[in-house]
Amino acid sequence: MRCDANTFDGTPQQVARRLLGHSLVRKIHGQRLSGIIVEVEAYLSQNDPASHSAIGRKNRNASMFGPAGLLYVYTIHTRHCLNVVTEPEGTGSAVLIRAIEPIEGIQWMSEHRNRPAFDQRSSHPKSITQQSKTTSLLRELSSGPGRLCEALQVDLKQDGLDLLTSDQVWIEQPSQAVIDRQWKAVESNRIGISKGVELGLRWFIDGHQLVSGCARQHSQGRHWRFGAA
DNA sequence: ACGGGGATTTTCT
DNA sequence: GAAAATCCCCGTG
């Protein structure tokens, strides 16, 4: 079920934690592409030197200052990254989606990433070797903010779309299958930034294989039952 | 008009 | 690990 405004209501920290386990859905050429959000970061409107909003409202970050539930897309080198805008119009805050576990349209995502076609027959592998092979293929697809944008064919053309009403991209509530997994979420510092590292503000599913970066586990950090936040 | 910088990824050694 | 790739925007002149 598509999320309503309640999902995007709250501080960027609250929305970031809430979005874990939700599905990011992209519809393109009549096809549904989707994945479960497993890693997020919050970027704040105040006292956050790493936030794009820290330089003030410009053309390129304008949608970050829009109302909660907008999509904010920016470019980094040759790639794109996508964010969910939080807080009321005029407030520059957002949640960066850093990794998804692909669910629907995996073949299309493989093509978009220009990777060898993903073999659906091995998506329920029996041997450990097949399992790790599948995992590494999926990691290439959507573990990392630039990768998932390419897999879902999201770029500046989607910047500013409204996730509440768009027929191109939206967020859906966690499926029963996800709830049954009894995931735990953990907090860490954000990665890939030079300022504001000590603020924390990164959350991910503990031990999930598609979380980006080397630290997929953070056992010493605070953690809680998924869905409790 | 020009040049630098960035919430990244890939492909080397 | 380190460097390249070769983007978009923004600040400067």
Side-chain angles (χ1 to χ4, degrees):
Chain A
M1 190 168 78
R2 182 199 282 251
C3 291
D4 60 22
N6 291 325
T7 300
F8 309 110
D9 186 50
T11 64
Q13 295 95 321
Q14 291 170 326
V15 176
R17 290 185 294 248
R18 186 180 301 141
L19 285 178
L20 290 174
H22 283 61
S23 292
L24 176 61
V25 182
R26 171 85 166 112
K27 195 161 191 182
I28 182 168
H29 304 140
Q31 301 285 334
R32 258 181 76 102
L33 312 178
S34 76
I36 304 162
I37 298 167
V38 298
E39 179 185 359
V40 291
E41 288 179 354
Y43 288 86
L44 313 181
S45 64
Q46 298 290 327
N47 304 315
D48 182 0
S51 175
H52 286 180
S53 62
I55 60 166
R57 184 178 188 147
K58 310 283 180 194
N59 277 337
R60 81 163 147 196
N61 62 9
S63 44
M64 200 174 172
F65 290 81
L70 289 198
L71 192 67
Y72 167 48
V73 183
Y74 66 88
T75 61
I76 175 69
H77 291 258
T78 62
R79 309 279 156 170
H80 303 280
C81 298
L82 73 87
N83 300 250
V84 175
V85 174
T86 56
E87 301 185 301
E89 174 121 44
T91 311
S93 64
V95 175
L96 172 68
I97 299 183
R98 291 193 53 91
I100 61 172
E101 177 188 327
I103 299 295
E104 297 170 277
I106 294 174
Q107 299 279 9
W108 288 105
M109 295 189 204
S110 300
E111 290 192 22
H112 298 154
R113 289 276 298 142
N114 202 13
R115 287 296 180 282
F118 187 89
D119 188 354
Q120 288 278 5
R121 288 167 301 183
S122 55
S123 44
H124 299 289
K126 294 187 175 78
S127 77
I128 297 294
T129 23
Q130 280 176 324
Q131 208 162 50
S132 66
K133 201 171 160 186
T134 302
T135 298
S136 68
L137 280 169
L138 290 179
R139 284 181 61 82
E140 291 300 311
L141 289 193
S142 61
S143 179
R147 289 176 183 161
L148 75 88
C149 268
E150 192 176 31
L152 297 180
Q153 298 278 84
V154 169
D155 60 29
L156 290 183
K157 291 191 290 298
Q158 282 71 44
D159 181 43
L161 287 181
D162 188 347
L163 296 168
L164 296 170
T165 58
S166 173
D167 58 1
Q168 293 188 56
V169 57
W170 62 90
I171 306 272
E172 293 181 359
Q173 307 208 317
S175 66
Q176 188 60 47
V178 166
I179 294 167
D180 288 344
R181 291 205 214 176
Q182 302 241 323
W183 274 338
K184 291 191 171 53
V186 288
E187 179 171 17
S188 79
N189 291 337
R190 294 174 296 185
I191 60 183
I193 56 170
S194 54
K195 293 172 283 189
V197 174
E198 69 290 349
L199 294 175
L201 300 178
R202 174 173 177 253
W203 296 273
F204 56 95
I205 301 300
D206 196 16
H208 196 289
Q209 292 302 300
L210 294 194
V211 170
S212 70
C214 45
R216 280 195 289 285
Q217 292 180 324
H218 193 77
S219 47
Q220 65 269 53
R222 174 172 170 247
H223 56 78
W224 56 88
R225 275 280 298 284
F226 158 70

